[in-house]
Amino acid sequence: MKVIISAVLFMLSLPLFCQEFPVQWGPPIKSSGYLIDILPKENSSFYTLRWSGLLGNYRINEHYNMIEVNQERIKPVIESGIATIESTLYHGGKLIVFLSDKANGTMALYSQELGEDLLPSGPSVLLAEYVNANLGAKPNFNIISSANRRYIGVVWQIPGRKEVSDLYGYVILDSALTTTQKGEYTLPFSGNMSTINEDHISNTGDYYLILTEHKESNTRFLNKAYENFKAIHIYKIHNSDLKEFSVDVDDKRIDDIFISSNDSNIISLSGLYGNGNYQGLEGVFSIRIDANKDSMTARGLIPFGKDILKDNMTDRQFDRFERRFQNNGQSPQIYDYKLRTIFTLDDGSSIGSLEKYFIQTRTNYDSRTGISNTTNTYYYNDIIAFRIGLDGKFVWETRIAKQQVSVNDGGPYSSYQSFTNGKDLHFIFNDNQRNYDELGEFSQFDGQVYSYNLSRRNNAVAICSINIETGKLERKTLFSRKELSSIVIPKMMKLNQKDKELLLYAITRGKERFGILSFKNKN
Amino acid sequence: MRHILFLLLLIIALSSCSTRAKFIEHDVNASNDTIVDHHSYANFKAIKTVHLELELDVNFENQTIYGVARHEMVNNNASVAIFDTRNLLIQKVTTGQKFHEKEVDFVIGQMDKDSILGQPLTVTVDPKTTQVNIYYQTTKGAEALDWLDTLSTSSKKTPFLYTQGQAILTRTWIPLQDSPSNRFTYNATVKVPKDLLALMSATNPKEKNTTGIYEFEMDQPIPSYLISLAVGDIAYHPLSTNTGVYAEKELLSACVYEFEELPKMMTAASSLYGSYQWKQYDLLVLPYSFPFGGMENPRLTFVNPTILAGDRSLVSVIAHELAHSWSGNLVTNSTWDDFWLNEGFTVYFEQRIMEALYGKEVADILAQIEFQELQAELKEILKGKHPEDSQLHLNLKNRNPDDGMTSIAYVKGAFFLKTLENKVGRKVFDQFLNHYFKVFQFKTVNSTTFIDEIERNLLAPNRLVFDYDEWIYQNGLPKNCVSINSPRLMNMQSLAKRCSSGENIFDQVISYEWKKVKNRAKKQRVKVINQLKREDFIVQEWQTFIRALDQDIAIERLRYLDQKMNFSAWGNSEVMAEWFVLNINCGNREIRPEIEKFISKVGRRKFLLPIYKALIKNPEDKVWAKKVFDKSKAYYHAVSRNSIAELFND
């Protein structure tokens, strides 16, 4: 019966074929809770993790061809009692809930497999545990997955050892949840002289940890110490053996560190760098590691070109801007950009993107009433896309003009989702229909870009495609609000790199709809 | 008055005769600017290393060298410095002096298609950068390094390490501009286990110290392939004030005996082509896996223990390596396309040293033996994929420079010089060579430079015409090649023919002679037993004998010969190798245990290749050879191992 209903509903679903990619939308359906995450399964099916109910509980929903076919509440129960839900994953053909528990100073993480009926299909299994006898200590597990979804890693950290080196532990599990390696290790830095940036599991199941070393104790809480940056350390950890790749960037500062890897075991680590004493950004920092040989094959501070640094300035403004920096013995900088994505291509080169993001806070104080009113304006503006070649330089760098402004909401409809099929790098985001002509081609009027609009008449979903070889940019509408009757939420979209699908999400008047954009067929 | 005038003219004429020939000076550096080395990624025209400082930590446990290569460079406004690397792990790259270093950007490029050149390491520098420091470690893929376990050494107690950089293997253990066209000085600090001694192609310690840390300095500019390192339980014995021999203790006394005449060789060589420039000349006898007979690392020639024949019969190898102190080390080929300028000169020079020490007859025998090898190899090359490899100047672009290490470079090169000598006369030729070594010392040359030099300073002044083009740029052996006849070798060839035809030449021949006997007035009839003995002939004569035997001689004859002369267990590797090849060609499989013993012990490519080549001709022998190779290959140096593996892959 379930299948018949889903088939009928699927017939009603909206096939929207944009110029290059087949996009399939499901029908709008009433939302069964606040969406936390989409868990890609296979063949156009996926799960969603939600938070719902008056008292609040986690639910898992199953979707087949974008239609919800089943849902169940997740009960955080292990054999010893109630536990805490840490995360859910679809891994190795199974839906797994990760549950943590604390007993007698021992922190434990369990996996609970859910069956086809979304109910526990067996006893929970202990995956990892560590001892932290500190009063008030809580389980501190992090669950990460490799890009090809073959491996997952459970990582934990024992905090409260700031005077000495922090202790960390990890377990790497394969698709059958069998432990392939595990270990506990002490980093060679004291906790208050270093910050962990990211954990990563490569497609071959190796665990990487990226750590920033500070020049002095990192004691500031309210503001950021830009000058307090010494080096980056990348650790490949294998059964408690640390293989270290260190990069001393001396007077520079590196923000937003991202790591990615490809099937050939080439690891790309990228970040944004700037002068240590200032907030601005000068370019992209990049490291490439050949994990097969444990060899760092490239290290580069790649400065942005003039077109990027101009940041919408006129030539005259830019000359003045450049002179001002040069007078201080610095390189020109751009501000407020965040690194969003990095993909490592098959040949070992990498492509990525930055987004201009900042929040403007304005407080109005009424002296008569004594009431102050604060307005936060969220800006998600231009995207900068780039490719770093094997020579450690930009092959191309390009700016995608975009304006997304919203007030007091955190910008839920702002930002973008990007994906690549190895030939092009694509970006999807909400835009203004006035930025496009009647054929849907991007058309700037007087060099202006209209800020995105969510109204039924003016909202459009844009797709920007950049040819990876040449850097040539094409920008079109993917579909309009009129066609879709809903607003897409790029931040909630989920990339399923394994099956080359982008799971789309849109909402409209208390209803939601899911879609699938497939990029596997494009050569 | 007329008499006085005549006397004056006579004095002038005589004085002009007695002065040495005048040579035209010119800018010998000019040609270097146009050199293109296909076997290096380095941009040494824009930025080049002038001094290299090495800090090395040799770890035998994980068979890894951890190093820092500090390049002092001359920078002509370069924005990048490119170094050659192959299978190295680069940890970081900095610029600036030690303790004031700053990490800089670098990229390790793609490996070339056939993994010959390795990967370029491109370091971002600014136009003022004069110091680049590369922190690295070696890997299992470092083909220059031969790590020997304790069982592979004479002592069986301590391990051994040696390097072999030629032609382009130095980049597998040091990141550097690995082209012979760039010469630089170097110094090194090397940390090794305390019970071992480290030696380099530089100033060397004479004994172990308690710290295990050794300092080396080479203050004369050398090409990168001559940087070498050896670590082991090594002892030293001086042979004269500036010569000596290093070897494992167990081999030292045999070495001292074998190389006793080294100082005499040094004197002979210096008197021929000018004084020895490298201060010290020592030999280091390596374990058996060393793939060459010798390697001319300056101040410390590496030699293969197979030349310890016990009768000083193979010391021509030492003459050859010593000759490299002039040709090769002092004057170096700019690229591997002109390898003949290193080796052809050296073989010629080696023969001259041998002639000065042992006379023309011995030198001619050696030359003749080498010529036989050239003819055999030439035949193969002309029939093969690259008949153009029979030219002296090669085009090895996209090929391994080791492909050029054939008899062409060595023997055709030497015979070119011999023919030239024959044309201009020895005295004039020696004067020219003295001039050549003086003008080009510590520089590099290519074929064009050499042609220019012989035109300018040898042929034109003597109003001679010589077709050097057919030697250098044409296939095969020119007709004007000098021929060398050796009656002693001809005698061996006729003996071989008699033997092949079934005559038992090694049996006792009893004859009676009328001889005067003490205390007897009349001559008496005396019984004389004649029998050919090993010691009647030198090694090269025996080599000629084996080569001249019928290549399909009956196995019974081989058995007879081995029974009489015991070639299979002679101890002289040159003879044994010749003998084994003949037996394989004739299908004698009884001798396999001896062959296996030999090729499992000796790692020298010169001996291994002909034996394996002969074995793979027959499918059954090939299967057996593969088994032996698989068992022994871990022990062979990569140079030998790769060459033999190629035979099986073809």
Side-chain angles (χ1 to χ4, degrees):
Chain A
M1 186 63 188
K2 201 165 69 176
V3 176
I4 295 169
I5 292 168
S6 72
V8 171
L9 285 169
F10 181 66
M11 299 285 276
L12 298 171
S13 68
L14 179 68
L16 279 175
F17 288 89
C18 76
Q19 59 276 31
E20 286 157 308
F21 300 111
V23 180
Q24 196 78 40
W25 279 102
I29 45 171
K30 192 170 179 298
S31 165
S32 59
Y34 178 75
L35 181 71
I36 296 171
D37 199 4
I38 301 175
L39 314 173
K41 194 181 171 189
E42 60 217 3
N43 298 326
S44 309
S45 59
F46 54 89
Y47 297 99
T48 53
L49 177 69
R50 296 166 186 275
W51 178 254
S52 71
L54 277 174
L55 297 172
N57 55 57
Y58 285 99
R59 303 190 75 79
I60 192 84
N61 300 36
E62 187 181 1
H63 300 252
Y64 180 71
N65 281 326
M66 290 143 306
I67 315 290
E68 187 182 300
V69 291
N70 197 5
Q71 63 162 298
E72 197 60 59
R73 184 185 156 214
I74 302 173
K75 290 175 187 159
V77 181
I78 53 171
E79 281 172 13
S80 58
I82 301 292
T84 306
I85 295 176
E86 292 282 340
S87 170
T88 53
L89 269 182
Y90 183 74
H91 178 76
K94 294 166 197 160
L95 182 63
I96 299 156
V97 179
F98 295 94
L99 301 158
S100 66
D101 187 33
K102 177 187 174 183
N104 303 324
T106 299
M107 313 294 162
L109 186 84
Y110 296 86
S111 68
Q112 174 64 66
E113 194 182 320
L114 301 184
E116 283 186 9
D117 52 3
L118 304 181
L119 292 170
S121 64
S124 52
V125 177
L126 178 67
L127 293 181
E129 61 180 348
Y130 66 90
V131 176
N132 185 357
N134 288 353
L135 278 177
K138 288 179 182 171
N140 191 10
F141 292 103
N142 185 22
I143 294 128
I144 51 176
S145 173
S146 64
N148 61 1
R149 288 161 54 194
R150 273 192 209 143
Y151 298 94
I152 56 172
V154 177
V155 186
W156 63 90
Q157 174 183 350
I158 303 177
R161 291 164 54 97
K162 292 291 183 190
E163 295 306 312
V164 290
S165 298
D166 280 0
L167 189 72
Y168 297 85
Y170 75 101
V171 175
I172 307 291
L173 306 152
D174 64 11
S175 52
L177 288 188
T178 309
T179 301
T180 58
Q181 49 168 307
K182 63 178 182 178
E184 275 198 347
Y185 52 92
T186 308
L187 291 178
F189 294 102
S190 120
N192 55 2
M193 292 293 282
S194 60
T195 303
I196 297 238
N197 298 104
E198 199 172 317
D199 303 286
H200 177 79
I201 295 185
S202 70
N203 285 349
T204 49
D206 286 317
Y207 174 48
Y208 290 83
L209 182 84
I210 295 103
L211 178 142
T212 298
E213 183 190 354
H214 303 294
K215 279 182 185 162
E216 53 194 59
S217 180
N218 198 15
T219 51
R220 290 197 202 180
F221 291 105
L222 297 176
N223 60 340
K224 190 171 179 180
Y226 290 105
E227 74 285 0
N228 191 11
F229 186 94
K230 191 178 176 197
I232 280 192
H233 303 273
I234 301 128
Y235 297 101
K236 179 182 174 184
I237 301 160
H238 189 85
N239 290 334
S240 296
D241 288 337
L242 291 189
K243 167 74 190 171
E244 183 179 350
F245 306 92
S246 291
V247 181
D248 185 350
V249 287
D250 202 17
D251 53 345
K252 301 291 181 196
R253 173 195 92 251
I254 294 170
D255 292 335
D256 290 352
I257 293 164
F258 266 63
I259 186 167
S260 79
S261 53
N262 67 9
D263 289 338
S264 309
N265 228 0
I266 304 296
I267 313 288
S268 294
L269 182 137
S270 301
L272 299 174
Y273 79 89
N275 190 310
N277 299 318
Y278 301 91
Q279 192 182 350
L281 301 164
E282 294 172 13
V284 174
F285 166 76
S286 169
I287 293 175
R288 193 165 57 241
I289 294 168
D290 183 344
N292 302 308
K293 298 175 184 168
D294 281 347
S295 168
M296 193 191 293
T297 58
R299 176 259 196 222
L301 295 168
I302 314 162
F304 292 124
K306 187 179 171 183
D307 286 347
I308 298 300
L309 292 167
K310 269 178 82 175
D311 202 7
N312 299 324
M313 282 183 265
T314 63
D315 283 344
R316 207 168 147 197
Q317 283 172 322
F318 181 71
D319 286 345
R320 263 210 316 268
F321 171 79
E322 200 174 23
R323 266 204 306 278
R324 204 176 74 219
F325 280 106
Q326 280 165 357
N327 290 343
N328 293 333
Q330 294 175 39
S331 306
Q333 297 166 17
I334 54 174
Y335 296 92
D336 302 323
Y337 278 85
K338 298 283 170 207
L339 188 62
R340 297 287 191 212
T341 57
I342 287 287
F343 297 104
T344 304
L345 300 176
D346 290 346
D347 68 352
S349 66
S350 53
I351 47 176
S353 62
L354 291 66
E355 184 178 36
K356 184 156 186 160
Y357 164 69
F358 59 97
I359 306 164
Q360 210 171 56
T361 303
R362 182 168 293 157
T363 304
N364 294 317
Y365 175 71
D366 189 333
S367 58
R368 289 173 302 176
T369 60
I371 298 170
S372 63
N373 181 22
T374 301
T375 308
N376 287 315
T377 310
Y378 295 87
Y379 293 88
Y380 289 81
N381 290 349
D382 291 356
I383 299 169
I384 294 171
F386 58 84
R387 181 183 177 195
I388 300 170
L390 295 177
D391 61 354
K393 306 269 183 263
F394 284 134
V395 178
W396 48 260
E397 46 183 329
T398 191
R399 179 184 290 277
I400 300 168
K402 168 171 83 75
Q403 261 200 52
Q404 294 171 324
V405 186
S406 64
V407 178
N408 285 347
D409 63 351
Y413 307 105
S414 300
S415 201
Y416 62 90
Q417 185 61 244
S418 73
F419 60 96
T420 179
N421 56 1
K423 297 262 178 186
D424 300 281
L425 174 63
H426 304 277
F427 299 91
I428 291 177
F429 52 87
N430 279 307
D431 206 350
N432 193 322
Q433 187 72 57
R434 291 165 73 188
N435 290 326
Y436 302 86
D437 62 18
E438 58 276 11
L439 296 171
E441 299 286 338
F442 182 62
S443 162
Q444 259 180 305
F445 179 70
D446 284 346
Q448 291 288 314
V449 173
Y450 290 99
S451 179
Y452 84 150
N453 194 304
L454 302 175
S455 74
R456 186 173 172 77
R457 211 175 62 183
N458 285 327
N459 178 239
V461 178
I463 183 161
C464 271
S465 305
I466 302 173
N467 183 298
I468 288 172
E469 280 306 308
T470 62
K472 195 183 163 210
L473 175 74
E474 273 185 46
R475 180 169 176 175
K476 294 172 182 175
T477 51
L478 185 59
F479 29 71
S480 69
R481 167 83 190 274
K482 241 185 246 175
E483 287 172 299
L484 193 61
S485 304
S486 9
I487 309 169
V488 299
I489 303 182
K491 284 178 183 174
M492 289 311 298
M493 292 176 182
K494 190 79 171 189
L495 183 62
N496 178 3
Q497 195 66 43
K498 181 175 164 264
D499 297 327
K500 304 252 185 299
E501 285 177 349
L502 182 66
L503 300 175
L504 309 172
Y505 181 64
I507 59 165
T508 176
R509 290 180 193 159
K511 290 186 176 177
E512 64 182 11
R513 66 195 308 182
F514 291 92
I516 293 175
L517 182 151
S518 171
F519 52 93
K520 60 185 155 197
N521 294 327
K522 187 166 184 270
N523 294 318
Chain B
M1 184 64 191
R2 227 170 37 187
H3 288 285
I4 293 168
L5 207 67
F6 175 75
L7 217 73
L8 218 70
L9 281 170
L10 191 72
I11 290 166
I12 291 168
L14 281 173
S15 64
S16 68
C17 283
S18 64
T19 52
R20 292 173 68 85
K22 290 255 161 55
F23 295 100
I24 300 165
E25 300 295 329
H26 58 107
D27 183 6
V28 291
N29 293 317
S31 61
N32 271 15
D33 298 337
T34 55
I35 291 164
V36 178
D37 187 348
H38 302 303
H39 295 111
S40 173
Y41 294 109
N43 58 339
F44 47 82
K45 281 166 203 158
I47 182 167
K48 64 176 230 163
T49 303
V50 288
H51 180 79
L52 175 66
E53 185 183 343
L54 292 168
E55 291 165 19
L56 305 174
D57 185 346
V58 181
N59 187 323
F60 275 91
E61 275 170 31
N62 56 11
Q63 300 196 336
T64 303
I65 294 178
Y66 300 88
V68 186
R70 300 182 185 279
H71 293 261
E72 195 182 315
M73 311 190 88
V74 170
N75 188 344
N76 299 319
N77 278 324
S79 57
V80 292
I82 305 173
F83 300 89
D84 294 294
T85 71
R86 195 170 140 211
N87 299 329
L88 285 178
L89 295 189
I90 305 298
Q91 282 142 1
K92 66 176 177 180
V93 183
T94 67
T95 54
Q97 300 295 323
K98 201 173 177 180
F99 307 120
H100 302 282
E101 296 170 47
K102 187 183 169 187
E103 264 191 52
V104 290
D105 294 351
F106 70 87
V107 173
I108 300 172
Q110 296 280 76
M111 180 76 86
D112 61 308
K113 197 174 97 228
D114 298 319
S115 305
I116 296 167
L117 304 184
Q119 296 167 278
L121 166 66
T122 306
V123 178
T124 304
V125 296
D126 66 52
K128 288 179 187 163
T129 302
T130 55
Q131 179 88 26
V132 176
N133 314 298
I134 305 167
Y135 292 71
Y136 70 99
Q137 71 181 70
T138 60
T139 65
K140 298 274 177 231
E143 291 192 350
L145 304 180
D146 200 6
W147 300 92
L148 300 175
D149 58 20
T150 50
L151 293 176
S152 304
T153 59
S154 302
S155 68
K156 313 281 181 210
K157 284 177 190 159
T158 49
F160 204 99
L161 165 70
Y162 68 86
T163 65
Q164 170 55 41
Q166 199 180 33
I168 54 168
L169 296 181
T170 306
R171 65 189 66 177
T172 68
W173 73 287
I174 305 171
L176 79 180
Q177 297 182 314
D178 196 9
S179 168
S181 57
N182 187 32
R183 303 179 72 108
F184 50 83
T185 53
Y186 81 89
N187 70 303
T189 305
V190 182
K191 188 178 169 209
V192 298
K194 285 178 186 168
D195 55 340
L196 302 179
L197 176 71
L199 300 171
M200 290 191 83
S201 49
T203 49
N204 274 311
K206 301 281 188 261
E207 58 187 10
K208 282 182 263 185
N209 64 28
T210 52
T211 62
I213 298 171
Y214 297 91
E215 303 280 342
F216 301 91
E217 183 158 18
M218 169 50 87
D219 55 1
Q220 293 160 305
I222 58 166
S224 54
Y225 74 89
L226 292 177
I227 301 175
S228 57
L229 170 71
V231 182
D233 187 8
I234 303 165
Y236 180 73
H237 192 283
L239 297 171
S240 69
T241 51
N242 66 341
T243 61
V245 60
Y246 290 95
E248 290 182 84
K249 277 177 214 149
E250 295 72 14
L251 290 176
L252 197 58
S253 58
C255 295
V256 171
Y257 169 76
E258 202 79 22
F259 306 131
E260 202 174 25
E261 292 187 340
L262 180 61
K264 277 189 204 165
M265 276 189 189
M266 180 84 110
T267 312
S270 300
S271 65
L272 279 169
Y273 299 121
S275 57
Y276 179 76
Q277 300 273 1
W278 303 91
K279 298 169 191 173
Q280 182 74 18
Y281 184 80
D282 293 323
L283 301 171
L284 167 63
V285 180
L286 293 174
Y288 278 93
S289 69
F290 185 52
F292 300 117
M295 179 62 211
E296 65 272 20
N297 301 309
R299 301 189 190 184
L300 185 70
T301 284
F302 285 7
V303 291
N304 194 300
T306 54
I307 66 170
L308 300 173
D311 53 6
R312 298 176 188 169
S313 57
L314 299 176
V315 288
S316 62
V317 172
I318 302 303
H320 181 93
E321 302 311 329
L322 176 63
H324 268 305
S325 301
W326 285 261
S327 49
N329 295 4
L330 201 59
V331 182
T332 310
N333 50 222
S334 305
T335 70
W336 298 109
D337 288 350
D338 285 316
F339 186 50
W340 78 272
L341 287 168
N342 270 17
E343 295 300 344
F345 269 79
T346 304
V347 171
Y348 171 81
F349 197 179
E350 163 205 327
Q351 289 169 4
R352 294 293 304 277
I353 294 172
M354 294 304 280
E355 186 180 324
L357 284 179
Y358 305 108
K360 190 165 182 331
E361 193 181 28
V362 171
D364 280 352
I365 287 174
L366 288 172
Q368 184 75 356
I369 286 280
E370 283 164 344
F371 193 72
Q372 287 169 7
E373 284 160 12
L374 169 68
Q375 283 174 314
E377 195 160 7
L378 197 56
K379 221 184 267 179
E380 266 185 41
I381 290 172
L382 289 171
K383 274 193 289 182
K385 269 193 281 185
H386 294 283
E388 71 279 9
D389 284 357
S390 62
Q391 299 168 15
L392 286 179
H393 173 78
L394 302 173
N395 181 3
L396 296 171
K397 191 178 178 183
N398 299 325
R399 291 176 63 194
N400 194 323
D402 288 358
D403 290 356
M405 294 184 177
T406 64
S407 291
I408 302 298
Y410 287 80
V411 188
K412 185 183 171 184
F415 273 78
F416 169 43
L417 298 176
K418 273 171 126 38
T419 309
L420 202 55
E421 178 210 296
N422 197 37
K423 177 88 178 172
V424 300
R426 178 167 279 193
K427 193 179 165 194
V428 174
F429 196 58
D430 278 355
Q431 282 175 345
F432 168 76
L433 288 183
N434 268 290
H435 154 81
Y436 173 81
F437 287 128
K438 198 173 163 191
V439 168
F440 290 99
Q441 62 177 348
F442 299 111
K443 292 188 174 65
T444 59
V445 287
N446 57 21
S447 288
T448 319
T449 328
F450 178 71
I451 289 169
D452 187 42
E453 200 58 31
I454 56 171
E455 266 297 348
R456 199 191 300 260
N457 283 318
L458 184 66
L459 300 175
N462 294 295
R463 292 178 189 163
L464 291 169
V465 178
F466 186 87
D467 188 1
Y468 39 75
D469 268 5
E470 66 174 343
W471 278 93
I472 298 172
Y473 299 113
Q474 285 178 29
N475 294 1
L477 204 58
K479 282 180 187 155
N480 65 353
C481 179
V482 287
S483 65
I484 293 166
N485 293 315
S486 165
R488 281 169 61 177
L489 293 189
M490 282 159 73
N491 175 45
M492 294 311 284
Q493 283 163 343
S494 87
L495 274 179
K497 262 184 201 159
R498 282 167 52 202
C499 184
S500 294
S501 65
E503 194 180 324
N504 292 336
I505 56 167
F506 298 108
D507 284 356
Q508 284 185 356
V509 177
I510 298 170
S511 59
Y512 295 91
E513 288 177 8
W514 288 95
K515 280 188 174 175
K516 202 167 180 190
V517 180
K518 204 177 173 184
N519 302 330
R520 297 282 180 99
K522 286 184 180 176
K523 280 186 181 176
Q524 300 292 309
R525 189 171 179 256
V526 179
K527 186 180 175 184
V528 180
I529 302 171
N530 285 315
Q531 188 173 21
L532 291 177
K533 293 189 290 293
R534 242 202 235 172
E535 49 275 21
D536 293 342
F537 306 102
I538 63 172
V539 167
Q540 289 74 17
E541 286 173 295
W542 282 117
Q543 277 181 274
T544 305
F545 173 80
I546 297 169
R547 283 177 194 177
L549 289 168
D550 281 355
Q551 289 303 297
D552 55 354
I553 188 171
I555 292 175
E556 293 74 41
R557 297 299 299 155
L558 292 172
R559 247 183 246 139
Y560 163 77
L561 282 169
D562 215 7
Q563 193 191 346
K564 294 290 177 186
M565 287 295 112
N566 202 8
F567 290 132
S568 307
W570 188 317
N572 185 305
S573 308
E574 297 276 358
V575 174
M576 287 168 85
E578 297 276 358
W579 179 246
F580 291 144
V581 170
L582 177 71
N583 276 268
I584 295 163
N585 287 339
C586 296
N588 182 14
R589 296 197 177 111
E590 294 165 10
I591 205 170
R592 274 186 181 176
E594 285 83 3
I595 296 175
E596 184 173 354
K597 195 176 162 195
F598 182 74
I599 59 179
S600 305
K601 180 185 177 189
V602 173
R604 197 171 160 189
R605 189 169 63 167
K606 180 187 176 182
F607 301 138
L608 292 177
L609 264 189
I611 292 174
Y612 277 105
K613 265 185 191 173
L615 283 168
I616 62 165
K617 280 184 205 160
N618 179 301
E620 200 187 315
D621 286 344
K622 189 176 176 180
V623 173
W624 179 77
K626 185 74 174 60
K627 273 185 200 161
V628 179
F629 175 63
D630 287 340
K631 230 171 15 177
S632 316
K633 67 182 177 188
Y635 161 76
Y636 296 154
H637 186 276
V639 168
S640 298
R641 190 170 56 235
N642 293 344
S643 301
I644 299 162
E646 263 177 45
L647 295 179
F648 285 110
N649 293 336
D650 277 348

